[in-house]
Amino acid sequence: MAEGTVLHADLDAFFASVEQRDDPSLRGRPVIVGGGVVLAASYEAKARGVRTAMGGRQALRMCPDAIVVPPRMDAYTQASRDVFEVFHDTTPLVEGLSIDEAFLEVGGLRLIRGAPSSIAAQLRVDVMQRVGLPISVGVARTKYLAKVASAVSKPEGLLVVPVEGELEFLHGLPVERLWGVGKVTSGKLREARIVTVGDVAAMYEVELVQLLGAASGHHLHALAHNRDPRPVQVGTRRGSMGAQHAIGRGPHSPAELDLALLTLVDRVTRRMRSAGRTGSTVTISIRFGDFTRSTSSHTLPRPTAHTVTVLDVARQLLSSRTGAIKERGITLIGVSIGSLDDSPAQLALPLDVNSGAELDDAIDAVRDKFGSRALRRAVQVGKADHTEAPLLPDRP
DNA sequence: TCTGGGGTCCTAGGACCC
DNA sequence: TCTGGGGTCCTAGGACCC
């Protein structure tokens, strides 16, 4: 039986599993991570109907004996790093998809590590032994199919789709399994009596395009026929960074909103600087009292990671919405920065230095991290920026 | 019924340039 | 005075994913 060479590895109930790993008293019991909303549910809780993104009260009605724990993002970030280390020890070709899943290309490893299915089995053992977390792995010829396979494999945790059996496996699945079919698209498809992936495959591409638009139509047609030529890619970088915060229905004073905005901008720009990124499009996102959302954005002439520069823009964007906020209420505020650029230079400096000694430390840090060429560039950019908003203070 | 906090990609109109 | 077609960027909104 021929095997594909793409692995999709997906941690099981990730946040909840980390909690059960770290607190033995939670093992074997229904665990909900989150508060107002379920961020993750252990298998014991899922068995009772609790789902991710469900409201907290509804979840507790379904599963009154659930143990609710607050999220510990730092612990999950560290666990994710540990798991990705195991991935990288398995193969250099790792493409991370999110905090808890990745594609691994293992096609070149047959001679040293064996067949993809045995690499997959070993990976599950390694992750459990080294990090203490359960993980599911799908093996197939394409990324998409591997992802479907890992999802279908749960809870056993390993599923190999043989090359000869691809379409048979795929066509029996419900359309909701297709990557990119959510609530809205699934509604449209079901209205047209398209229920399985096989039904999609039986359609003409033009019909799908007519029903769903160009991009979705082409995309779903390709997936339904298992055409997915994308290789596993290493080193793709994020295109935007953001932070958001849900707030109660209010009322909220302007000062309160401004403080929230400032906190978010500070968080995002700090993360950008420590990641060595700058960006030029500032977007603020608002969720009104009725939970509808709206965004507004502004693009700067130059990319930046400077707190005050971003804050100024964010404040202007927010103030252009004060009328609507007064009328409709506000339940969430978010800031994100897009069009991220790659140059590492301007970035690494902690741009809120206050003294010459702090600046010297900052400059040393940049030189150590990125070299002296990057340092010169950082200073240049800092000077250029100084005309509008100080990116770098002058040397005393 | 109630509602985190990250992200990606697509569409569509208007401005602007050649 | 009247007039093409194409390309890129910006902005707003929406669907989807984990």
Side-chain angles (χ1 to χ4, degrees):
Chain A
M1 231 169 24
E3 284 184 4
T5 60
V6 179
L7 272 53
H8 179 263
D10 188 358
L11 288 153
D12 302 332
F14 179 45
F15 295 175
S17 295
V18 173
E19 296 303 333
Q20 287 179 320
R21 178 194 69 177
D22 294 349
D23 181 353
S25 76
L26 297 177
R27 292 178 196 164
R29 306 179 63 183
V31 174
I32 291 173
V33 179
V37 132
V38 177
L39 292 177
S42 70
Y43 274 104
E44 297 82 3
K46 283 183 183 173
R48 313 272 289 273
V50 178
R51 294 284 174 270
T52 300
M54 188 179 266
R57 275 183 221 161
Q58 190 189 354
L60 279 177
R61 267 198 305 277
M62 295 184 122
C63 186
D65 54 333
I67 303 158
V68 180
V69 299
R72 294 182 299 139
M73 292 312 299
D74 291 349
Y76 312 145
T77 303
Q78 187 54 52
S80 175
R81 283 199 196 110
D82 296 342
V83 171
F84 272 78
E85 206 177 299
V86 179
F87 293 166
H88 284 289
D89 288 346
T90 302
T91 170
L93 298 180
V94 177
E95 176 182 344
L97 270 186
S98 70
I99 194 170
D100 67 349
E101 58 177 320
F103 291 115
L104 287 75
E105 171 62 58
V106 299
L109 303 178
R110 192 170 291 273
L111 287 179
I112 53 169
R113 291 200 194 278
S117 52
S118 50
I119 298 175
Q122 187 60 45
L123 181 64
R124 299 188 61 233
V125 173
D126 290 345
V127 171
M128 181 51 84
Q129 279 181 354
R130 287 173 55 182
V131 193
L133 294 173
I135 192 164
S136 296
V137 182
V139 183
R141 194 172 51 83
T142 62
K143 287 208 273 193
Y144 165 64
L145 207 59
K147 186 168 160 67
V148 175
S150 75
V152 173
S153 80
K154 290 173 195 275
E156 283 82 16
L158 180 61
L159 180 62
V160 180
V161 182
V163 171
E164 307 81 24
E166 287 176 343
L167 292 183
E168 189 193 341
F169 168 73
L170 194 56
H171 285 178
L173 299 170
V175 282
E176 286 77 13
R177 286 287 189 186
L178 287 174
W179 206 349
V181 176
K183 220 174 161 187
V184 175
T185 308
S186 136
K188 285 182 193 166
L189 290 171
R190 288 190 175 261
E191 207 169 300
R193 307 226 179 277
I194 302 156
V195 179
T196 66
V197 178
D199 294 341
V200 176
M203 289 179 74
Y204 288 110
E205 191 166 0
V206 283
E207 294 179 291
L208 277 170
V209 168
Q210 214 169 13
L211 191 64
L212 305 172
S216 295
H218 294 308
H219 172 70
L220 294 193
H221 189 259
L223 288 188
H225 291 279
N226 196 30
R227 285 196 304 268
D228 177 15
R230 304 161 306 161
V232 173
Q233 272 193 317
V234 182
T236 53
R237 307 190 77 181
R238 230 197 302 278
S240 70
M241 282 188 172
Q244 53 180 333
H245 184 58
I247 51 184
R249 278 202 155 73
H252 303 283
S253 70
E256 213 179 316
L257 292 182
D258 189 62
L259 179 62
L261 193 71
L262 191 149
T263 308
L264 293 170
V265 168
D266 181 65
R267 199 191 307 165
V268 175
T269 50
R270 271 173 197 278
R271 270 171 43 203
M272 289 174 69
R273 294 194 294 263
S274 67
R277 309 292 299 273
T278 57
S280 47
T281 304
V282 180
T283 304
I284 67 154
S285 165
I286 287 166
R287 192 179 64 192
F288 294 110
D290 61 0
F291 277 72
T292 59
R293 304 180 75 120
S294 160
T295 64
S296 42
S297 62
H298 176 77
T299 301
L300 293 160
R302 258 194 315 282
T304 183
H306 184 230
T307 310
V308 175
T309 307
V310 174
L311 182 60
D312 281 346
V313 176
R315 277 181 170 145
Q316 278 171 43
L317 291 168
L318 185 63
S319 74
S320 73
R321 296 299 174 107
T322 45
I325 291 170
K326 250 180 211 154
E327 235 173 77
R328 306 167 61 185
I330 178 169
T331 54
L332 175 142
I333 180 165
V335 174
S336 96
I337 305 185
S339 315
L340 291 191
D341 128 309
D342 294 303
S343 66
Q346 15 196 325
L347 5 139
L349 289 173
L351 300 163
D352 25 280
V353 291
N354 295 311
S355 69
E358 274 180 45
L359 182 60
D360 285 340
D361 288 348
I363 286 174
D364 287 344
V366 173
R367 191 186 290 113
D368 289 350
K369 210 166 166 184
F370 298 106
S372 46
R373 216 176 110 206
L375 173 64
R376 279 196 299 278
R377 230 192 118 220
V379 174
Q380 270 166 16
V381 171
K383 278 181 181 157
D385 238 272
H386 207 144
T387 52
E388 277 171 26
L391 186 73
L392 260 185
D394 284 324
R395 296 208 68 163

